[in-house]
Amino acid sequence: MDRFDICIAGAGVVGLAIAHRLLEAFPKASIVLTEQESSFGQHTSSRLSEVIHAGIYYPPGSLKARLCVEGKEALYAFCDKYRVPYRRIGKLILSNSDCDQAISKLAHNAKSNGVDDLEYWAEDRIKVAEPAVRAAHGLYSPSTGILDSHQYMQTLLTLNQQQGMLYAPRTTITSVHPSEQGFLVKTKIDNRSKTETYRFNSKWFVNSAGLWSQHLAATIENLPASSIPKHFLCKGEYFDYRGRNPFSHLIYPLPDPELAGLGIHSTQDLSGQLRFGPDAEYVEEVDYQVTPDKRSTFAQAIRIYFPSLAADQLVPAYAGIRPKISGPNEKPGDFVVSCPQDSGIPGLIQLFGIESPGLTASLSIGSYVSASIKELSL
Ligand SMILES: Cc1cc2nc3c(=O)[nH]c(=O)nc-3n(C[C@H](O)[C@H](O)[C@H](O)COP(=O)(O)OP(=O)(O)OC[C@H]3O[C@@H](n4cnc5c(N)ncnc54)[C@H](O)[C@@H]3O)c2cc1C
C-alpha cells in the first residue's frame, strides 16, 4: 500500500497554500493533495470577491485578524515573486451619517489589528476621488487589493507539483481510520467510465475540505463528535453591473453588525468588470443558483452609496457559500484550526469555518499548519 507523510483533503485555495508552505518547511516530505472535483478551486475558492483584505473588521486577537494581516503581506509578496496579477486598488468604507461613531470604532479596531494605514476622508475628498458616490465621510484603506485568484491557485499547484506533490483530482476521501502508522485513508476515484476505490497510509492527515470539513470529520474513526464544530451554510449572491464602471476603488458600506457579511459592496476584477455583492442568506444545501428576483433589494442597498444606479443595470452573476460555524443571530465564529491536542488523535489537523478572509489568509493559514507539524516533528 502507498505511504505518504502528509495527506491534504481539498484542493481549494487553502489546501493548495497549506501544501506550498509544508513543502517549503519539509522539502523532502511526500504529500498527496486529494480533490473530489475534476479540478482545483471549484467551490468557495472560485465564488468570491477576489479581494485582498486589509484586516479591518475582525476582533483583535482572533485568528481571522492575525492571519489576515500576516496573510495579506505574504500574498502580495507571493504575487510579486511569481507574477500573479494583482492591483492595490484601495477601498473606501462609506458612511452617510454626520456624527458617525461607527467609522472611528472601525478605525480603532483596525489599529488594534495592526492596520495602521487607514485614512479618514471627508465628503469633499470622497467627491473628488469617487464622483458617483454619495457619502458624508469614510475610511480609505490603501492596502486593500484585488488579485487573479485562479492564477494564484494555478501557480500554487504548479509549484507544488514541481516539488513532487501528488495531486489527485476526482478523488473523494470517504473515510479515515487512525492507526499506529498514522491514518488509513479510503478514497473513491471517479474515472468517468467507472468508479474505483483506492486506499493509502499517511502519517499526517489535514482536513481542508471547506464546506464539507464537518462531513469529512464525521468519517474519521474514533473522533469525538463533540470536537466537530457546528456547521452552517451562508450563501452570498452577486450581480454584474451593466455599463461603464464609474469607480476607481472598491466601495463598501459600513458593515451592519446584524448581517453575516460585510454588506452589499462593489468589487471589480482586474479587467475592471464591476459587480455588487455578496448578500448573506443562511441556506440548507449547496446550491449556486442566483435569484434574479433579488435585483430590487440589491439596487436599494447599493443606491445608499451609489444613487444613480438603475435596477436594470444589475445582471445575475454567480453565488458562493460561506462555511460558517455560527448560525443566524449568533456571534460570528473565528477560524478553527484543530490540532492533535484538541482531538486527541496524533497527526490530525482540521480546518473549520474558513470563510472570508480565507483567500487573503491562505498563505498564513498554510504557515500556521506547517508550524503545528514542525512543533510535533515530522
Ligand atoms: C461569497 C464569498 C466571498 C468571499 N470573498 C472573499 C474575498 O474577497 N477575500 C477573501 O480573502 N476571502 C473571501 N472569501 C472567503 C474565501 O473564498 C474562502 O475562505 C476560501 O476560498 C476557502 O478555501 P478552502 O480551500 O478552505 O475551501 P474550498 O475552496 O471550498 O475548497 C475545499 C475543497 O475541498 C474539496 N473536498 C470536500 N470534501 C472532500 C473530500 N471528502 N475529498 C476530497 N476533496 C474534498 C472540495 O471539492 C473543495 O474543492 C469569500 C467567500 C465567499 C463565500
Side-chain angles (χ1 to χ4, degrees):
M1 198 180 303
D2 289 331
R3 278 191 67 81
F4 297 92
D5 292 320
I6 305 166
C7 168
I8 302 169
V13 71
V14 174
L16 287 161
I18 291 172
H20 177 67
R21 287 305 203 210
L22 284 170
L23 285 162
E24 281 181 342
F26 310 107
K28 293 201 175 124
S30 56
I31 298 182
V32 59
L33 173 64
T34 64
E35 169 53 51
Q36 65 186 357
E37 302 294 350
S38 57
S39 182
F40 61 87
Q42 297 291 296
H43 290 282
T44 313
S45 298
S46 56
R47 304 175 157 277
L48 70 176
S49 301
E50 296 194 296
V51 173
I52 302 177
H53 286 294
I56 298 167
Y57 306 96
Y58 318 107
S62 63
L63 267 188
K64 280 184 180 171
R66 190 185 123 196
L67 298 179
C68 181
V69 173
E70 288 172 12
K72 168 183 65 176
E73 296 308 332
L75 188 49
Y76 279 128
F78 183 96
C79 291
D80 280 335
K81 185 167 178 187
Y82 297 107
R83 297 172 183 269
V84 176
Y86 76 90
R87 238 180 100 200
R88 276 184 203 256
I89 186 172
K91 151 174 164 176
L92 269 168
I93 306 170
L94 303 174
S95 166
N96 269 320
S97 154
D98 280 339
C99 55
D100 200 336
Q101 290 185 344
I103 283 275
S104 43
K105 223 169 130 186
L106 207 53
H108 183 74
N109 195 77
K111 211 169 180 93
S112 309
N113 288 344
V115 182
D116 48 17
D117 58 355
L118 295 188
E119 296 170 19
Y120 173 82
W121 281 16
E123 186 173 5
D124 297 356
R125 176 109 194 243
I126 294 171
K127 264 272 155 284
V128 172
E130 292 290 359
V133 145
R134 180 177 66 195
H137 53 183
L139 276 181
Y140 173 61
S141 163
S143 66
T144 299
I146 49 175
L147 84 161
D148 181 336
S149 55
H150 182 82
Q151 188 61 38
Y152 170 47
M153 288 190 281
Q154 180 64 69
T155 304
L156 284 169
L157 178 62
T158 305
L159 288 169
N160 292 342
Q161 287 183 301
Q162 282 168 352
Q163 286 182 265
M165 182 193 81
L166 179 68
Y167 169 51
R170 292 199 179 89
T171 305
T172 305
I173 296 180
T174 50
S175 64
V176 181
H177 305 265
S179 68
E180 284 193 1
Q181 295 76 39
F183 298 91
L184 169 66
V185 181
K186 296 185 181 173
T187 71
K188 191 182 76 189
I189 303 177
D190 173 15
N191 265 342
R192 289 200 186 98
S193 51
K194 58 180 175 28
T195 302
E196 292 171 64
T197 56
Y198 166 56
R199 299 161 171 226
F200 56 87
N201 283 304
S202 181
K203 206 163 163 188
W204 287 82
F205 183 80
V206 181
N207 173 359
S208 180
L211 296 169
W212 292 271
S213 282
Q214 279 86 344
H215 177 80
L216 181 56
T219 74
I220 301 175
E221 200 176 32
N222 298 331
L223 180 71
S226 59
S227 72
I228 306 176
K230 286 192 289 180
H231 178 48
F232 299 92
L233 306 175
C234 183
K235 186 170 176 179
E237 302 188 17
Y238 292 85
F239 282 75
D240 277 339
Y241 175 74
R242 198 162 44 190
R244 196 185 63 81
N245 174 3
F247 300 145
S248 312
H249 305 89
L250 304 178
I251 306 292
Y252 281 58
L254 267 177
D256 179 344
E258 302 286 304
L259 294 177
L262 296 180
I264 294 174
H265 53 262
S266 87
T267 186
Q268 48 183 289
D269 58 28
L270 289 163
S271 71
Q273 170 64 54
L274 179 65
R275 64 181 57 95
F276 293 95
D279 65 347
E281 182 186 357
Y282 279 86
V283 294
E284 293 300 319
E285 54 191 49
V286 176
D287 163 12
Y288 296 124
Q289 297 261 358
V290 180
T291 321
D293 288 352
K294 283 187 174 174
R295 188 181 276 118
S296 56
T297 322
F298 266 65
Q300 220 176 346
I302 299 161
R303 275 196 210 109
I304 294 172
Y305 55 86
F306 179 29
S308 66
L309 176 97
D312 64 6
Q313 289 180 294
L314 296 176
V315 183
Y318 60 88
I321 298 185
R322 304 168 181 89
K324 283 195 176 282
I325 59 166
S326 59
N329 308 318
E330 285 178 2
K331 204 171 141 250
D334 199 3
F335 290 160
V336 174
V337 184
S338 160
C339 292
Q341 52 272 37
D342 303 310
S343 64
I345 298 184
L348 179 63
I349 297 192
Q350 302 198 82
L351 292 95
F352 300 103
I354 311 297
E355 52 174 328
S356 193
L359 168 70
T360 310
S362 49
L363 286 167
S364 51
I365 295 173
S367 300
Y368 189 94
V369 169
S370 158
S372 311
I373 291 186
K374 197 173 251 169
E375 267 170 31
L376 299 159
S377 71
L378 182 75

